[in-house]
Amino acid sequence: LFRSGRGRLCLTVSGMDCRGVRCTWPALVPVILLLSYCWRSIVCGAAAGFGPPSAVHLKSIDDCISFDISAPRNPGKQRYDESDFLYDIVIWKNASSEQQTRTNVCSIDTIDGLALNTTYCLKIRAILIEEQKRGPFTPVYCIETPQKVLKPQPEHVRIHAVNKMFILKWDWDYTYESNVTFTVEYTREKCLIYTPNKPFWTPLMECQDIITTECDFSRSGFDFNGKYSFRVRATNGTGQPIWSKKIIFDPFEDTEIGPPSYKKLEIGDGFLSVNVLPPGELENQPMSEYDLTYQALVWKNSSGPQKMYTERQTFFTFSDLEPNTLYCLKVRAVAKVENKTGQFSPMKCITTAAGNPSYWEALAAFVLSAIAVFSVVTALWFLSYHLKQWISYIFFPSCNLPSNIKECLQDKRITKAYLSYPEEHTESCCIITETITEEIDQTFGNHENKHSKQSSRDSGNYSNEDETGGDVK
């Protein structure tokens, strides 16, 4: 670069001299852009103390672009390790000017969810983690995604996390391949622990070569404050393994707070006390990482207006409740700092105690009791009085008998007449009547008559009515 005799700036590129050739601004635009990039690299690299990443390797798989970034080189100066850097990646479609920036990306990672049969361009710069300094960008790299996905993948990979219970699930099209096993791999999203001698992806022990589309890794000992990536591999034993898209799981951010557990409910005179256990306490995995407060929702008769109570502790006391009334409640934990609202516990309903009556209630009860007692006493007296009269009228009449009847009643002879004597022993007797009629033949005489004999017996004696007539011939 030199100044010509007419005051123009001319440029010598690759040994070509522009002297004697008229320099124009359009011809200098590419040169200016090249010099600008070199100048920014020199200035930014000098300011940050390191240059752009030394190497970038890209690979397109289905709708993903995977990359492997090498740390910047700094010859003659302080040497940095791979784990000292994170990276900013700016990516855009080649046919569009709209750019997307991803910050704090690890050196080995994947960008998924891209359009098929599309050319993407990107540029990368390094971030020194300790000092939070950013170096210059690399030149632009472009790569094209394939036209279509060649094989089905494990899809909809997701993690259901409640308290510290973690279950990873995914979907698989068994019409493509039914004899298949799955293996889950993970890596920590933070690159501070990355070392080149250690594999980047680690198989999850509880989820190796399984045939179900879910696995429970609650006991794997993950750091609750860490950040992890998961992917699922499908293998049929003969072909190449098929990988799912990567998902990122942050336990602290993505975990749902479960419901508290009831420990004790106590009913008192006009109050109700409830003691609950923190979420996860029953499973011996308390959510101690959160600063929890507790909210209780209380309402009357299963349909009344609801009232919210908030406590820092796990103990609630609800006072000024109506006696002998059904109240329902449910409790949840809330982490206000993290803006997390937990799940409600199951609804619990309980009837309050009868309680002590008020002054007016006591007075009314006394008056009613007095009226009842007076009514009962009056009724008993009335019944006893009339019963006495009836008994006296029946058994002790007040009217007097005539004097002559009284004298007869007082006469002992008459009195004896009414006495009962023993019955005299008698024999049973009967009267038998027998009649005999004889006809005497007229041949014995003209004076024959008909004679009748009658025999009578009475008490064993015989009597003849014809005694005066002499003997019978």
Side-chain angles (χ1 to χ4, degrees):
L1 182 65
F2 62 93
R3 183 182 295 274
S4 65
R6 295 185 179 182
R8 298 188 182 96
L9 290 176
C10 293
L11 179 67
T12 300
V13 180
S14 299
M16 296 180 61
D17 191 356
C18 69
R19 286 177 293 182
V21 181
R22 184 168 180 169
C23 297
T24 59
W25 285 109
L28 293 176
V29 170
V31 178
I32 293 174
L33 292 176
L34 180 60
L35 292 174
S36 176
Y37 171 75
C38 294
W39 176 257
R40 286 200 311 268
S41 298
I42 295 172
V43 173
C44 294
F50 54 88
S54 58
V56 176
H57 300 280
L58 302 177
K59 185 178 181 181
S60 177
I61 304 175
D62 297 331
D63 60 346
C64 305
I65 296 177
S66 62
F67 51 85
D68 186 355
I69 306 172
S70 299
R73 293 177 181 174
N74 196 10
K77 297 184 179 180
Q78 182 180 356
R79 300 188 62 180
Y80 296 107
D81 189 61
E82 292 282 351
S83 61
D84 293 332
F85 292 95
L86 292 174
Y87 299 91
D88 288 337
I89 298 178
V90 180
I91 185 171
W92 66 94
K93 292 181 181 179
N94 190 34
S96 173
S97 59
E98 183 180 356
Q99 297 181 342
Q100 295 181 358
T101 301
R102 302 194 178 192
T103 61
N104 298 324
V105 179
C106 296
S107 60
I108 301 176
D109 209 336
T110 302
I111 301 175
D112 53 19
L114 304 178
L116 297 176
N117 196 23
T118 304
T119 300
Y120 285 89
C121 297
L122 53 87
K123 56 183 181 180
I124 305 170
R125 67 178 175 184
I127 305 171
L128 186 61
I129 298 174
E130 185 177 355
E131 301 178 9
Q132 283 297 303
K133 291 182 178 181
R134 285 174 164 79
F137 278 104
T138 63
V140 176
Y141 296 90
C142 293
I143 188 171
E144 185 178 2
T145 57
Q147 294 184 358
K148 63 178 180 179
V149 179
L150 300 178
K151 297 179 181 179
Q153 303 169 297
E155 296 180 339
H156 305 121
V157 182
R158 58 205 180 273
I159 294 177
H160 181 63
V162 178
N163 294 339
K164 293 182 179 178
M165 304 298 292
F166 307 137
I167 299 177
L168 189 141
K169 300 180 179 182
W170 60 91
D171 298 332
W172 173 255
D173 184 7
Y174 283 96
T175 59
Y176 171 76
E177 180 63 56
S178 59
N179 186 21
V180 65
T181 58
F182 303 97
T183 297
V184 178
E185 294 184 348
Y186 75 97
T187 182
R188 186 153 184 170
E189 198 60 20
K190 298 294 183 182
C191 298
L192 295 175
I193 62 171
Y194 173 75
T195 57
N197 297 327
K198 182 180 179 180
F200 192 71
W201 289 95
T202 304
L204 198 58
M205 297 298 296
E206 294 85 350
C207 309
Q208 291 191 65
D209 298 325
I210 60 176
I211 60 175
T212 59
T213 56
E214 66 176 49
C215 71
D216 186 346
F217 61 99
S218 305
R219 304 293 180 180
S220 298
F222 282 89
D223 183 5
F224 199 77
N225 295 305
K227 191 174 183 180
Y228 301 88
S229 294
F230 289 86
R231 66 180 184 179
V232 181
R233 183 186 69 194
T235 308
N236 62 2
T238 57
Q240 293 293 326
I242 305 171
W243 295 98
S244 70
K245 296 178 182 179
K246 179 191 71 173
I247 64 166
I248 298 175
F249 175 57
D250 186 342
F252 189 83
E253 294 292 336
D254 300 334
T255 296
E256 298 181 31
I257 300 176
S261 303
Y262 294 106
K263 182 178 180 181
K264 184 179 181 182
L265 282 82
E266 183 179 356
I267 304 173
D269 185 9
F271 74 91
L272 174 65
S273 63
V274 180
N275 194 2
V276 297
L277 294 174
E281 189 75 26
L282 287 180
E283 297 82 12
N284 200 24
Q285 293 183 340
M287 305 295 287
S288 57
E289 290 80 5
Y290 298 110
D291 183 17
L292 298 177
T293 58
Y294 297 88
Q295 294 178 343
L297 199 61
V298 182
W299 65 96
K300 181 175 66 174
N301 294 335
S302 301
S303 61
Q306 298 179 343
K307 186 176 181 181
M308 182 72 75
Y309 298 83
T310 303
E311 292 287 346
R312 292 282 301 173
Q313 305 298 325
T314 59
F315 185 81
F316 289 87
T317 300
F318 312 110
S319 56
D320 300 331
L321 301 181
E322 297 181 11
N324 198 25
T325 303
L326 180 66
Y327 282 89
C328 295
L329 62 95
K330 51 185 179 180
V331 186
R332 68 181 178 186
V334 177
K336 291 185 176 180
V337 177
E338 295 79 12
N339 195 24
K340 281 180 174 288
T341 301
Q343 301 174 359
F344 272 111
S345 62
M347 183 177 66
K348 198 82 171 180
C349 294
I350 192 168
T351 302
T352 55
N356 295 325
S358 62
Y359 171 77
W360 295 109
E361 291 177 345
L363 181 60
F366 174 76
V367 172
L368 292 175
S369 301
I371 293 174
V373 171
F374 177 77
S375 301
V376 171
V377 171
T378 303
L380 291 176
W381 177 84
F382 180 80
L383 291 175
S384 62
Y385 175 76
H386 285 278
L387 185 62
K388 180 180 179 182
Q389 285 186 339
W390 293 338
I391 294 174
S392 300
Y393 179 78
I394 295 173
F395 296 100
F396 306 99
S398 59
C399 60
N400 296 322
L401 295 174
S403 60
N404 57 347
I405 295 177
K406 286 183 177 181
E407 290 177 359
C408 291
L409 293 175
Q410 293 175 357
D411 191 348
K412 294 182 178 180
R413 292 174 300 173
I414 297 176
T415 304
K416 291 182 179 180
Y418 293 97
L419 298 177
S420 60
Y421 291 95
E423 185 179 358
E424 181 182 2
H425 178 72
T426 59
E427 295 182 358
S428 297
C429 299
C430 62
I431 298 173
I432 301 175
T433 303
E434 185 178 30
T435 303
I436 303 175
T437 304
E438 294 181 358
E439 289 186 2
I440 302 175
D441 194 359
Q442 292 181 0
T443 58
F444 291 98
N446 293 327
H447 299 286
E448 288 83 5
N449 295 321
K450 295 179 179 180
H451 297 277
S452 297
K453 287 185 179 181
Q454 294 180 349
S455 297
S456 298
R457 292 176 184 166
D458 186 8
S459 300
N461 297 319
Y462 176 79
S463 62
N464 188 358
E465 295 179 356
D466 296 334
E467 291 178 356
T468 59
D471 297 332
V472 176
K473 291 182 181 181

